[in-house]
Amino acid sequence: MKPIKRRSNAAVNSTLIRRPIQRCFALFLLPTMAAFCIGFLYPFIKGMYLSFCKFTTTSNAKWIGFANYQKALADPGFVHSFVYTALVALVSLVIINVLAFAVAYALTRKIRGANLFRGVFFLPNLIGGIVLGYIWSMLFDGFLANYGTSIVLNTNLGYWGLIIVICWQQIGYMMIIYIAGLQSISEDMIEAAKIDGANGWHMLKDITLPTIMPSITICTFLTLTNSFKLFDQNMVLNGGQPFVFQSNGTVIRSTEMMALNIYNTFYLNANSRGVGQAKAVLFFLLVAAIALVQLSATRSKEVQQ
Amino acid sequence: MEKMLCLLLTFVLALTMLGSVALAEGSGSVYYLNFKPEADAAWQALAKEYEQKTGVKVTVVTAASGKYQETLTAEMDKGSAAPTLFQCGNQAGLATWGDYCLDLRGTEFFNQLSTEEFNINGAGGEAFCIGYCYEAFGIIVNKTLLEKAGHNLDEIKDFASLKTVAEDIHARSAELGFDAFTSAGLDGSSSWRFSGHLANMPLFYEFRDDGITAQPATIKGTYMENFKNIWDLYINNSATEPSQLATATGDQAEAEFGQGKAVFYQNGTWEFSNLTTTFGMKPEELAMIPIYCGVEGEDKAALCCGTENCWAVNSQASAENQKATLDFLTWVVTSDEGTQMMADQFGPIPFKAAKASSNTFFNDANDYLADGNYVVTWAFNYTPNVDTWRAGVVAALTQYSAGGSWDDVVNAFVQGWAVQYANQ
């Protein structure tokens, strides 16, 4: 057997076969590269360009320089939406990760029906945001009607409603990642720790958490960016209501997150599309910066097994 | 093997590109981006008929309710596959889409018009948007229920009498089994009835007093008290709690009226076919009365007549497509099938070959005019940045109805106008 196996390896590695494949590398890259360019790179660059233009349709734009950025930063609604988004992201980040970890921790014990629970907890993730928003707004309003109010009438209710929906949807997903992390902890290490007399708390603090640090990195990254980019649930559940009417006639949509603010800027006022585009570019820079900071912070805590 | 695979991949790639080129070819077709979901079926049928007759491809796409501007923006970006015919019905629309509107003056289609009253012209008098129907709105009354409650239409002459009748019905709603007004829902599917149509009342009277005939930069809100009068009357004399209006929909209000649970329903002529077919109401039990809100002399008011339904032909479409579109339009307003469909769906149309309409509400509108009443025109067509302005008014009304302050409504209405004028 051995000589045959070696020969087959040699055959694949032979320059006679490798060279034509290597020469064709561009062709093999082509489909993905094309998809990446069409679906991401081109729209991204065009979006950048449009943020400096005044336009109604994207194929008919006029260059106006930085005016859009000035208007975007001068919009109190945009600034408010940033603060609001940050609040949503921060609170949901903590709640989702703590709960997802707790559920994952519980479901890696030997519990009867653990697989069923995992499946059920993961399910909310499979429902689209718009549908989810409608269902939850009906649930909330059905309940709040007893108290003569509605989710769109109260900023606080809107905020916590949104947090509940986000958590409900994302905990299951993060749970799966944590479960994978927990299962990768080697039995040897746990056994050694037990022999050394470590108690439950020490095991969690000194073994479990450091080992699953890569999972924590991924999960915090995902929850943070998901919350920042949140759009459909926010649109359907809150729609930015209630509005706060400023004395000068401008309006702050008190439950509007950044993505929705950009959408509203772009579509509600056909003449501020460039401003919406400028906001989108600012939004991208912000999310990218936050994600990079977060990644480097959690990565530095990761350990090699 | 690899060579074959490479060939195959290149072939597939080439094929997809060919596909997109092939799609763009073909000459003289029509693409209509329709504005009214309720008329979608009729347009589709008419398009098919025209296609069978002439072989010219007519595509009708209907934007989802309340999503016309979004859909139009996306579709207009499709270059040669953009709509050749679209809706552009007010000043704000013309401000946005003016560059895409073809001057239709002098075309065969234009010459079929019986009046230019409903068109929107460019600054140089270009006929950019052609009003293809006109509409009237007011308060639709179920006469049978009104009589059951011991009242009749002749009693209602102004706001005070409307209020008396409505409050009487509401007070006895448990005993009667129906209420005065349908729910004044502020969900997106219903809120335009108030941020658009009802808001027309204070706007119309203010513009009439001040002699305004073009979009003003600011408004004063002279008649905001009257707006409050009628809004309070709606929300306090209906089976739906005012605090529940935030999520009440248009379908809900329509069903309440159609199923005989309410006597009054603010809406327009376009509701006629739904009420008589879907809900099986008889034309003779329906009537439409003006919206009374307590303005002096309003007993001489007629219904609110105007239009937001204007066609514009895409000036950036190819010449063949423009021609095909104009030919199609001419056929729609001259042929037997076309004019019949227009009469059924839109009532009387301002074209020479128009057919008579069986829509009771239009007859009501004409009767008021024949009696020498003044038309309440569609002053809201001047609204700057109409979607943003209306969103503010709706949110303020929602908050007010749930116990908030009326000042917010005034703010959103008056100051909001100035802000949106500056923003547009």
Side-chain angles (χ1 to χ4, degrees):
Chain A
M1 286 304 282
K2 257 187 179 171
I4 296 171
K5 199 177 174 191
R6 191 186 295 153
R7 200 192 291 157
S8 80
N9 274 344
V12 171
N13 288 327
S14 118
T15 44
L16 277 178
I17 289 190
R18 271 173 52 198
R19 195 162 291 151
I21 295 180
Q22 277 171 342
R23 230 183 280 138
C24 281
F25 84 96
L27 191 71
F28 286 95
L29 268 180
L30 189 69
T32 320
M33 199 56 201
F36 181 73
C37 291
I38 296 169
F40 179 78
L41 214 56
Y42 171 70
F44 183 77
I45 294 169
K46 178 134 191 194
M48 288 276 195
Y49 165 71
L50 285 173
S51 71
F52 295 99
C53 295
K54 185 170 172 54
F55 64 98
T56 304
T57 60
T58 59
S59 46
N60 203 348
K62 204 177 89 214
W63 182 271
I64 53 163
F66 279 94
N68 288 333
Y69 285 89
Q70 280 166 357
K71 277 191 195 160
L73 290 170
D75 175 9
F78 186 57
V79 178
H80 174 272
S81 78
F82 169 67
V83 176
Y84 188 76
T85 308
L87 276 177
V88 171
L90 212 66
V91 171
S92 65
L93 172 85
V94 173
I95 298 181
I96 290 173
N97 283 289
V98 168
L99 287 182
F101 180 77
V103 174
Y105 201 67
L107 293 183
T108 43
R109 311 287 97 180
K110 291 198 169 46
I111 298 178
R112 192 191 288 237
N115 276 332
L116 179 75
F117 282 122
R118 288 179 195 175
V120 171
F121 285 136
F122 184 73
L123 271 183
N125 233 289
L126 305 176
I127 309 174
I130 298 275
V131 180
L132 203 79
Y134 270 117
I135 294 173
W136 273 97
S137 80
M138 280 190 260
L139 286 175
F140 286 136
D141 283 338
F143 172 72
L144 292 172
N146 298 325
Y147 300 93
T149 182
S150 156
I151 192 102
V152 294
L153 287 172
N154 184 313
T155 308
N156 285 333
L157 289 176
Y159 176 76
W160 287 109
L162 194 63
I163 296 277
I164 290 173
V165 176
I166 305 174
C167 292
W168 184 77
Q169 187 176 28
Q170 292 190 24
I171 284 175
Y173 191 86
M174 303 306 151
M175 172 199 76
I176 295 290
I177 300 178
Y178 280 124
I179 285 179
L182 286 170
Q183 282 175 339
S184 72
I185 302 175
S186 101
E187 293 285 329
D188 303 349
M189 227 182 340
I190 297 173
E191 213 176 309
K194 274 185 183 154
I195 291 170
D196 287 346
N199 61 19
W201 167 243
H202 276 121
M203 300 253 290
L204 181 68
K205 185 169 72 84
D206 296 328
I207 296 186
T208 311
L209 284 181
T211 352
I212 64 158
M213 211 53 212
S215 305
I216 296 181
T217 307
I218 292 292
C219 286
T220 42
F221 174 76
L222 284 178
T223 41
L224 198 67
T225 47
N226 280 351
S227 306
F228 261 93
K229 294 186 301 183
L230 194 79
F231 172 71
D232 11 13
Q233 290 90 332
N234 186 223
M235 176 167 81
V236 177
L237 194 69
N238 311 107
Q241 294 203 70
F243 291 8
V244 179
F245 298 93
Q246 311 286 95
S247 55
N248 63 3
T250 53
V251 167
I252 289 179
R253 300 179 165 84
S254 67
T255 57
E256 187 180 59
M257 293 177 71
M258 290 180 92
L260 185 61
N261 181 280
I262 292 168
Y263 171 86
N264 282 338
T265 312
F266 194 89
Y267 279 115
L268 276 184
N269 178 356
N271 301 301
S272 69
R273 292 206 168 128
V275 181
Q277 199 61 44
K279 285 180 178 179
V281 171
L282 292 173
F283 177 61
F284 163 77
L285 294 175
L286 193 83
V287 174
I290 291 174
L292 286 177
V293 169
Q294 178 267 333
L295 275 183
S296 70
T298 45
R299 256 210 196 120
S300 64
K301 299 218 166 51
E302 287 179 16
V303 290
Q304 291 294 323
Q305 282 197 35
Chain B
M1 192 60 211
E2 276 89 4
K3 251 186 193 163
M4 284 300 290
L5 201 70
C6 289
L7 262 174
L8 196 75
L9 276 174
T10 344
F11 184 67
V12 170
L13 203 74
L15 208 66
T16 50
M17 286 178 169
L18 266 181
S20 51
V21 173
L23 264 181
E25 270 179 25
S27 66
S29 61
V30 182
Y31 172 11
Y32 178 33
L33 189 63
N34 174 31
F35 170 65
K36 295 213 150 199
E38 60 268 34
D40 179 62
W43 276 116
Q44 301 289 0
L46 197 68
K48 201 174 275 172
E49 204 162 334
Y50 185 71
E51 204 173 323
Q52 271 165 8
K53 266 206 169 110
T54 60
V56 175
K57 175 115 188 82
V58 179
T59 315
V60 178
V61 172
T62 301
S65 181
K67 290 281 169 228
Y68 194 80
Q69 285 305 321
E70 279 94 328
T71 317
L72 183 61
T73 307
E75 293 297 299
M76 272 303 191
D77 233 342
K78 291 189 176 165
S80 58
T84 60
L85 178 62
F86 62 100
Q87 186 89 22
C88 184
N90 50 37
Q91 280 295 307
L94 190 62
T96 309
W97 296 108
D99 294 347
Y100 292 81
C101 295
L102 187 70
D103 181 10
L104 298 177
R105 197 170 292 281
T107 58
E108 193 193 341
F109 161 67
F110 184 86
N111 294 334
Q112 295 298 327
L113 278 170
S114 56
T115 168
E116 290 191 40
E117 180 146 350
F118 301 109
N119 297 352
I120 304 177
N121 293 337
E126 303 93 337
F128 282 140
C129 315
I130 307 296
Y132 58 86
C133 66
Y134 57 95
E135 298 171 322
F137 64 84
I139 298 173
I140 303 177
V141 185
N142 184 331
K143 286 196 278 188
T144 317
L145 291 187
L146 189 66
E147 274 154 31
K148 226 183 247 177
H151 297 283
N152 65 64
L153 270 186
D154 298 335
E155 278 175 53
I156 305 172
K157 283 280 158 241
D158 52 16
F159 180 70
S161 49
L162 176 67
K163 190 171 154 93
T164 315
V165 172
E167 285 178 346
D168 176 53
I169 296 175
H170 179 66
R172 296 189 290 130
S173 60
E175 155 207 344
L176 290 168
F178 53 82
D179 217 311
F181 284 97
T182 57
S183 57
L186 289 167
D187 174 82
S189 58
S190 165
S191 60
W192 47 270
R193 295 192 288 139
F194 312 110
S195 60
H197 295 167
L198 192 61
N200 188 59
M201 305 313 295
L203 291 176
F204 167 77
Y205 284 113
E206 179 175 333
F207 294 168
R208 185 188 66 170
D209 288 358
D210 299 352
I212 283 167
T213 54
Q215 187 179 53
T218 55
I219 56 174
K220 294 186 291 198
T222 327
Y223 290 94
M224 287 309 284
E225 262 319 295
N226 305 89
F227 189 47
K228 183 169 185 294
N229 284 345
I230 185 74
W231 179 250
D232 283 343
L233 192 70
Y234 283 178
I235 64 173
N236 293 329
N237 295 289
S238 129
T240 310
E241 279 295 308
S243 62
Q244 298 305 306
L245 293 176
T247 48
T249 63
D251 288 349
Q252 186 181 329
E254 186 183 44
E256 283 163 13
F257 187 77
Q259 294 164 359
K261 290 180 191 155
V263 183
F264 301 112
Y265 172 43
Q266 187 212 303
N267 216 326
T269 44
W270 54 88
E271 272 295 305
F272 184 77
S273 65
N274 260 350
L275 292 176
T276 49
T277 54
T278 316
F279 292 99
M281 299 184 87
K282 292 189 210 73
E284 59 271 21
E285 65 180 355
L286 293 169
M288 191 186 284
I289 59 169
I291 299 176
Y292 295 120
C293 54
V295 174
E296 215 178 291
E298 69 180 354
D299 51 321
K300 294 303 285 173
L303 302 182
C304 305
C305 296
T307 192
E308 252 188 323
N309 292 283
C310 298
W311 279 324
V313 175
N314 186 351
S315 59
Q316 317 213 348
S318 68
E320 301 94 65
N321 285 351
Q322 285 178 359
K323 185 180 178 308
T325 306
L326 284 169
D327 289 347
F328 173 66
L329 286 181
T330 312
W331 179 79
V332 169
V333 298
T334 52
S335 71
D336 209 37
E337 301 92 328
T339 49
Q340 188 59 48
M341 178 282 220
M342 293 297 281
D344 292 344
Q345 289 294 324
F346 301 104
I349 55 170
F351 291 94
K352 288 169 189 158
K355 280 204 166 58
S357 160
S358 58
N359 188 323
T360 315
F361 298 150
F362 278 115
N363 302 335
D364 286 344
N366 291 334
D367 288 348
Y368 275 107
L369 294 183
D371 291 348
N373 294 307
Y374 61 86
V375 183
V376 179
T377 54
W378 286 19
F380 63 76
N381 277 358
Y382 291 135
T383 314
N385 246 343
V386 56
D387 294 332
T388 319
W389 185 81
R390 285 187 184 178
V393 172
V394 171
L397 283 174
T398 310
Q399 282 155 238
Y400 167 72
S401 306
S405 152
W406 182 257
D407 292 346
D408 282 345
V409 180
V410 177
N411 187 317
F413 206 98
V414 179
Q415 275 89 324
W417 184 289
V419 169
Q420 294 315 327
Y421 183 86
N423 273 349
Q424 73 175 350

